[in-house]
Amino acid sequence: MQRTITPGARLRAAADGANRWVVLVVLCVSLLLVALDATVLHVAVPSLTEDLRPSSTALLWIVDAYPLICAALLILFGTLGDRVGRRRVLLLGYALFGVASAVAALATAPGVLIGARALLGVGGAMIMPATLSILRAVFPDRRERATAIGIWTAVAAVGAATGPVLGGFLVEHYWWGSVFLINIPLMALILPLGRWLLPESKGSDDGPWDVVGALMAAAGVLGAVLGVKRIGAGEYLLAPATCAPLLLGAALLILFVRRQKRREHPLIDMRLFSRAAFTTSVGCIVLAMLALVGLELIAVQYLQLVLGLSPLETGLRLLPLTFAAMAAGATGSYTLRRIGPRRMVGWGFVLTAAAVLLLVMMGQHDRPLLLTCGFVLLGFGLQTTLFSAYESMLSEAPPESAGGAAAIGETSYQLGAGMGIALLGSVMNAAYAPGLASVPDVPAEASRAAANSLGEAYQVADQLGGPAGAALYHAARHAFVDGLHITLFVSAGLLLVGALMALRLPRVMECTVDPEDLVTPAPEEASAPEEVRVPASREPVEPAAASGRRTR
């Protein structure tokens, strides 16, 4: 009897040939480094500025080069991994990340550090989609994959939240370059481990890889993210430096979509977006990050500038959010099987909105218990939402397109983060500035300078001194807290919109049962394979005895 080896059987063979839980540990360590590197530099900026003396533009590029380049290249390297092998791309990303970290740590000029941060972005773009697509291949069973994705998303949250704490510790005890040096020994360890333990997997290699399309997508995402970030930095939308990259990026992305629809072997199968669950999951990821990242930025400013906490104390205050996210990831698979994607994403958004509204009670004085409760609810609710959205998105994509689907999810994550900083930052600025328009005894020029940010307002108040400086100082604090409350209300509204979007997701978590899992048909009974979908909480129903089939 001859037997056709299906793609599902090949994936199972890869999963059975490796200890998939050990593979998950390797993938999570990879992701931890990439997520940590996205935030670890923030607390080192003052020390770095004092040492390298970069211009304001150079400093902006030092901070933004990593996320910009990473976001732009996710689709390119995600789809390349589908063609040439995801493990191969991942290992190359490890090596590049380690080399770039060494260059960044030893940089003596702003230009060198910008280049090193850009190389870190290239390495991060190789690593991030590869980890998620290898996870998709190693865990073909959706129930196990849900558990793995829960751990994966929790590790991402840990990395992002741990970055400021670790960075604050290193800067206080060593020098700013130490925030990059920590990557090198870990990469030296994980590169041989990954080469030894990770199985190779790839998607369909039919037809040539669309190099032009990949470059078009990279340039389009780069332009869109750059324009959004400039808006978040306070630039006018119609300013040439903001409007031009936005329009160019949007035009290139539209052309990219049209090109993929016409090609026989596209980089990304645009039919994925015709699936309501896939499109809704991507939209929920964007909206969740849009609401969160802007809030995180404003919360850090509140903790440091209003409450007067040090960078290390600020990072420690955010740790409850991390622990709550870890708990949500650990229990996510169980919850998803019990209540399904629709209710899990929807209630995750509602819980996050409730946490944001609770934080409206923050004021001029420190309230540790309130902040801790708010951050715990925020971390648990947001992680619940992101976990279920990522799991639904990845499960809707066929295994051969896992790299492209992972790249879409990560690009959505980055776009949502950039849009959140732009939108909520603009709301904050619009609410903060009017409070400084007419402070008694403060010159109009000083009021305009103070309206740029709370940190600048403190500097202007120190320069003025006397009653005028004290009046400006108190007015700026009150204006910032009032603006924070308005921003929290806007964020809660966005989160409730996300809860409504979640109504388009499936009610139950369905698991696709490959016929290879159910039977080995007799030659006379062989027929075209069909997918059988069953609720995750139930086992496949055993077919009638007359069929000659058995459940495994």
Side-chain angles (χ1 to χ4, degrees), residues 481-507:
V481 172
D482 291 342
L484 174 62
H485 292 165
I486 294 173
T487 306
L488 290 171
F489 280 119
V490 172
S491 179
L494 292 171
L495 292 164
L496 292 176
V497 170
L500 294 176
M501 285 177 55
L503 295 175
R504 299 184 70 233
L505 290 171
R507 186 182 297 275

Side-chain angles (χ1 to χ4, degrees), residues 394-405:
L394 201 61
S395 294
E396 283 295 315
E400 62 271 14
S401 300

Side-chain angles (χ1 to χ4, degrees), residues 39-374:
T39 57
V40 73
L41 183 65
H42 292 171
V43 295
V45 167
S47 176
L48 181 156
T49 303
E50 185 178 350
D51 188 16
L52 298 184
R53 302 289 181 183
S55 65
S56 57
T57 302
L59 182 61
L60 184 65
W61 278 105
I62 287 171
V63 174
D64 286 345
Y66 175 82
L68 276 175
I69 298 299
C70 186
L73 298 179
L74 285 168
I75 292 176
L76 188 153
F77 286 119
T79 56
L80 181 63
D82 285 341
R83 293 300 181 97
V84 305
R86 295 147 187 162
R87 172 178 170 270
R88 183 177 300 174
V89 171
L90 181 62
L91 294 179
L92 183 58
Y94 288 162
L96 186 58
F97 207 83
V99 171
S101 297
V103 175
L106 302 176
T108 56
V112 176
L113 184 55
I114 292 171
R117 290 280 288 170
L119 284 178
L120 282 169
V122 177
M126 292 178 171
I127 293 170
M128 291 174 72
T131 58
L132 197 53
S133 54
I134 291 175
L135 186 151
R136 172 70 171 87
V138 172
F139 291 90
D141 180 79
R142 184 171 182 180
R143 285 160 289 197
E144 283 192 344
R145 185 166 67 246
T147 302
I149 292 176
I151 297 170
W152 185 88
T153 54
V155 167
V158 169
T162 305
V165 180
L166 183 59
F169 174 82
L170 291 172
V171 171
E172 286 185 10
H173 291 83
Y174 302 100
W175 94 109
W176 61 266
S178 60
V179 302
F180 298 109
L181 277 183
I182 57 174
N183 295 334
I184 298 173
L186 290 173
M187 283 299 173
L189 174 65
I190 202 172
L191 182 58
L193 277 179
R195 191 169 184 271
W196 178 40
L197 292 172
L198 296 179
E200 183 60 280
S201 69
K202 59 174 68 175
S204 172
D205 55 2
D206 296 335
W209 186 56
D210 184 9
V211 180
V212 174
L215 295 176
M216 190 180 294
V221 173
L222 179 63
V225 175
L226 179 60
V228 167
K229 279 185 171 291
R230 290 189 66 87
I231 295 173
E235 299 286 342
Y236 290 110
L237 175 61
L238 298 180
T242 303
C243 187
L246 266 179
L247 292 178
L248 180 61
L252 286 172
L253 289 176
I254 291 171
L255 291 174
F256 170 76
V257 171
R258 295 182 62 181
R259 179 182 178 87
Q260 298 310 297
K261 287 181 176 179
R262 292 197 305 266
R263 290 184 65 84
E264 183 180 356
H265 304 289
L267 284 176
I268 295 175
D269 188 355
M270 291 298 160
R271 288 175 297 182
L272 285 173
F273 289 96
S274 66
R275 303 183 181 187
F278 184 88
T279 306
T280 302
S281 297
V282 170
C284 288
I285 292 170
V286 172
L287 202 54
M289 292 310 301
L290 192 153
L292 174 76
V293 173
L295 277 184
E296 277 191 342
L297 183 65
I298 295 167
V300 168
Q301 294 179 26
Y302 172 79
L303 293 172
Q304 292 188 0
L305 297 177
V306 176
L307 301 186
L309 302 181
S310 69
L312 181 58
E313 290 171 330
T314 298
L316 291 174
R317 282 295 185 92
L318 294 172
L319 280 182
L321 188 151
T322 304
F323 293 139
M326 292 172 63
T331 59
S333 176
Y334 175 85
T335 308
L336 184 61
R337 291 197 302 269
R338 290 296 176 267
I339 68 174
R342 181 185 300 177
R343 281 185 288 181
M344 189 167 180
V345 173
W347 283 111
F349 271 123
V350 170
L351 182 60
T352 310
V356 168
L357 293 175
L358 178 64
L359 292 175
V360 171
M361 298 172 66
M362 293 187 301
Q364 301 285 331
H365 304 289
D366 193 3
R367 302 181 67 180
L369 182 59
L370 171 69
L371 290 175
T372 300
C373 291

